Amino acid sequence: MSDPSGCLVDQVGWIPVLGADGPKEVPLREALLGSHIFTELVPDMPTMLPVLLRQVLVPVVLDALGDVDDELWAELMDAGEFTAEQKQVIGRYLDEHLPRFGALDATVPFGQVAGLEHPGGKVHPVSVLMPHVATGNNTPLWDARLACDPVPLPLGAAVRWMLHAQCWDTAAIKTAAVDDPQVKAGKTTGNRTGPLGRLGVVTPLGTTLFETIVLNMPQGVRAAGDRPQWARPTMKPSWQLRTPTGVLDLFTWQGRRVRLVPDEPEADGQVRVRWVVLSAGDRIDGPQPEDPHTCWTIRQDKNKGSVRYPRRHLPGLMGWQGLDALLAVERDTAGFETSELLVQTATATLMGDLPSHYPLRVATCGLVYGTQDAIVSDILADDMPLPVAALRADHAVRGSVIRVCEQARALARTVDHLAANLIRAVGGEPAARGKGQQPGTKLLHVLDPLVRRFLTGCQRDPSDDELEKAHRAFETLAERAAFAAAEELLHRLPGRAFTGRTVTKKEQGKTATHTYQQASAERFFHSAVRKTLTHLYPQMPPAEETAA
């Protein structure tokens, strides 16, 4: 490597992009100035996508170009790439801050603390930065690598995972850093997860990397003194409890103090990182800031009034199962509000700055922590099409996509109810909701491609007639899938389900008798399916309305 500091701007390829010649890793300057020729980011894992956008790409552009209003945002999306003048501004900005982008710089390493040490010179394997790799006491006995001999990472990958830890690291007790005055018994307790760990992250995606960067740029006037971490004073081993100054400070929040420990350069000049020093970092004071990358749940509290908190993604659910919250551009009766970035997109569509047929996608991701947030127990991720017309309350597409998602969930519940009634008919008791494998979950996976196909079709801004035909087509295929799921349950049913059984229970002080039979279970199932699929089975008005 020609530059011993590991220059991330021009020397080290570390931004993973997809271009015409396939995936590759490019330096920061090439990723930004050539963002219009790259299709997208191709990160190591889904949770890395918002990390690269928040920690590097978006802050560089925002800090270089200044405040972004709706007019500039629309001009950028319309142009499809930075203008020659904007490229010069970004280039000069990178040159000005070049000393702060050296991954191995001796005095100001990028995103790290120079000279950071643990007592006794202790170091951790670099895998401690990677939530999907077992480390420490979690390492299996049969693992081929020992903790004392970790697999080295190329410098670019090590930098990415260092930034990932700044955003997503667990809340486990951290080994003390030398010269940290807040250490107790050689440890730092009370650590919180990285700032993204509290969120159900929602990232809008465009057709190119450039459009994705623009879609993730919050509009508005920056707060006084708001700067990214490389434009702030260099970090020290001690950490702070403070409030983010603004969006640039929040995006580049240093949730950990880190130092990469590189091996000696190899014969080809490449540097690899095998060890890392990792200790406690800054903590956000007060409630969760207004982060533009998450949806919100709004509750009314008697003492505090309206309380907002981030919506977390739930394990086992596809992204479209939370579509009602994603489309809540304005606060509705359900108490949802979508992300600030999707509100911007909705406004641009309403003003005509973004066509209603724009092929917007949304990536959702999150981590599920366990044991006092000290371990990662699951990684949640999805990527789905989102019709921008559905972000408008006055557009027919909005009602249709919400209805399709509701119908898919309703059919899954209907199959679950059928299974429960059949189990009761043969003398058993169904498992509690959320326990065991539910047949409705399997149906949802069958319906998933049908829902996504419908969402993709709605991105073409269909006419009312086309929308009606598409909805009928979805219901036709969804009905077949639901009947196939029911047939699978009935095929395994023993003969005694035909006669069923009668159960007597006390309900509200009275004795009630319930008879569970295969015939009644099927009848309830078919009735529920017809009530759900309203395009195939139009609902008749009540008798009194018909008479009137």
Side-chain angles (χ1 to χ4, degrees):
M1 185 175 297
S2 59
D3 186 346
S5 71
C7 177
L8 299 172
V9 173
D10 296 306
Q11 296 292 330
V12 179
W14 67 290
I15 305 294
V17 296
L18 178 63
D21 52 350
K24 60 180 179 180
E25 297 180 3
V26 299
L28 178 57
R29 191 189 304 269
E30 183 178 351
L32 285 172
L33 302 187
S35 57
H36 59 288
I37 64 175
F38 299 126
T39 305
E40 59 185 343
L41 293 170
V42 282
D44 308 77
M45 60 189 298
T47 50
M48 186 71 77
L49 174 64
V51 170
L52 294 173
L53 288 169
R54 291 168 62 102
Q55 285 278 344
V56 192
L57 299 175
V58 171
V60 167
V61 176
L62 280 178
D63 207 26
L65 300 184
D67 296 338
V68 175
D69 56 16
D70 54 354
E71 184 177 350
L72 176 57
W73 189 95
E75 290 175 357
L76 289 170
M77 288 297 292
D78 184 59
E81 65 176 296
F82 295 115
T83 65
E85 181 179 357
Q86 289 167 342
K87 289 180 180 180
Q88 291 179 354
V89 171
I90 294 173
R92 287 195 298 267
Y93 178 89
L94 292 174
D95 293 337
E96 177 185 351
H97 293 87
L98 198 64
R100 296 295 296 268
F101 282 89
L104 304 177
D105 191 273
T107 56
V108 283
F110 176 75
Q112 304 163 67
V113 177
L116 184 69
E117 292 183 345
H118 291 315
K122 179 181 178 180
V123 292
H124 303 284
V126 70
S127 56
V128 76
L129 304 176
M130 308 162 71
H132 60 294
V133 177
T135 58
N137 294 332
N138 295 323
T139 305
L141 295 176
W142 54 85
D143 197 301
R145 304 289 300 208
L146 300 177
C148 60
D149 184 28
V151 178
L153 290 179
L155 180 58
V159 171
R160 290 197 300 273
W161 286 114
M162 178 269 295
L163 295 178
H164 191 276
Q166 300 282 15
C167 296
W168 294 102
D169 193 33
T170 61
I173 296 173
K174 304 300 176 185
T175 306
V178 175
D179 295 331
D180 182 358
Q182 304 182 80
V183 169
K184 295 181 180 179
K187 303 288 184 180
T188 305
T189 59
N191 296 292
R192 305 165 184 173
T193 65
L196 293 188
R198 309 178 189 181
L199 313 179
V201 178
V202 177
T203 308
L205 304 176
T207 61
T208 64
L209 175 56
F210 171 82
E211 292 180 357
T212 296
I213 292 173
V214 177
L215 288 168
N216 286 273
M217 291 168 53
Q219 299 174 12
V221 179
R222 283 167 46 189
D226 184 27
R227 293 172 294 175
Q229 56 92 358
W230 55 82
R232 302 177 69 89
T234 56
M235 290 181 294
K236 298 180 180 179
S238 58
W239 52 270
Q240 305 176 57
L241 177 66
R242 63 183 183 87
T243 301
T245 308
V247 68
L248 295 181
D249 189 14
L250 177 63
F251 276 13
T252 61
W253 189 261
Q254 300 297 283
R256 296 292 179 264
R257 298 292 186 260
V258 187
R259 179 172 67 89
L260 301 177
V261 182
D263 290 347
E264 290 295 325
E266 300 183 359
D268 58 0
Q270 297 298 313
V271 174
R272 285 176 167 76
V273 177
R274 193 184 304 266
W275 305 102
V276 63
V277 179
L278 175 69
S279 62
D282 293 344
R283 301 176 186 177
I284 294 177
D285 187 17
Q288 177 66 41
E290 291 291 315
D291 196 295
H293 276 112
T294 188
C295 297
W296 301 85
T297 296
I298 304 169
R299 302 284 190 215
Q300 296 300 321
D301 186 273
K302 293 182 179 179
N303 301 319
K304 300 179 181 179
S306 180
V307 179
R308 294 160 53 87
Y309 56 91
R311 289 180 62 81
R312 302 284 292 270
H313 304 311
L314 298 177
L317 299 185
M318 278 75 78
W320 53 263
Q321 290 180 265
L323 194 67
D324 47 354
L326 285 174
L327 299 180
V329 176
E330 299 178 356
R331 295 187 185 184
D332 57 16
T333 55
F336 302 143
E337 189 171 340
T338 192
S339 74
E340 177 187 334
L341 298 174
L342 288 181
V343 171
Q344 288 181 184
T345 305
T347 303
T349 305
L350 186 62
M351 300 299 294
D353 296 329
L354 191 69
S356 55
H357 56 78
Y358 181 79
L360 178 70
R361 290 184 298 129
V362 169
T364 59
C365 67
L367 292 185
V368 179
Y369 299 93
T371 316
Q372 298 181 331
D373 292 344
I375 62 171
V376 173
S377 57
D378 201 358
I379 298 174
L380 311 178
D382 199 0
D383 183 340
M384 66 174 183
L386 183 67
V388 294
L391 294 169
R392 293 177 48 183
D394 62 339
H395 205 291
V397 166
R398 179 186 178 88
S400 289
V401 297
I402 291 177
R403 180 59 181 156
V404 160
C405 295
E406 289 176 345
Q407 287 176 318
R409 294 195 298 267
L411 289 175
R413 291 193 298 268
T414 299
V415 169
D416 284 340
H417 291 159
L418 172 64
N421 287 332
L422 293 177
I423 290 173
R424 294 187 181 102
V426 297
E429 284 297 325
R433 176 164 291 277
K435 301 293 184 181
Q437 180 66 43
Q438 301 289 336
T441 302
K442 182 178 179 181
L443 176 61
L444 281 174
H445 286 283
V446 175
L447 296 177
D448 179 60
L450 303 181
V451 174
R452 294 176 190 274
R453 186 188 307 171
F454 185 85
L455 293 175
T456 301
C458 287
Q459 289 187 313
R460 304 188 182 109
D461 194 16
S463 64
D464 291 345
D465 184 55
E466 292 172 331
L467 199 57
E468 176 73 17
K469 291 179 179 178
H471 207 141
R472 283 186 65 87
F474 167 79
E475 290 190 4
T476 300
L477 297 175
E479 182 184 44
R480 291 178 190 171
F483 284 163
E487 185 63 30
E488 183 177 350
L489 294 174
L490 295 169
H491 182 71
R492 301 198 301 260
L493 209 61
R496 63 180 182 274
F498 181 79
T499 56
R501 65 171 179 145
T502 300
V503 178
T504 301
K505 296 181 179 180
K506 285 189 175 181
E507 297 177 355
Q508 298 179 347
K510 298 181 180 180
T511 301
T513 301
H514 299 278
T515 300
Y516 298 101
Q517 295 176 311
Q518 175 182 342
S520 60
E522 289 189 69
R523 184 171 66 252
F524 293 146
F525 170 75
H526 284 277
S527 175
V529 169
R530 287 193 297 269
K531 289 180 180 179
T532 299
L533 304 178
T534 53
H535 284 70
L536 293 182
Y537 305 100
Q539 305 301 301
M540 295 296 293
E544 59 271 16
E545 293 184 14
T546 304

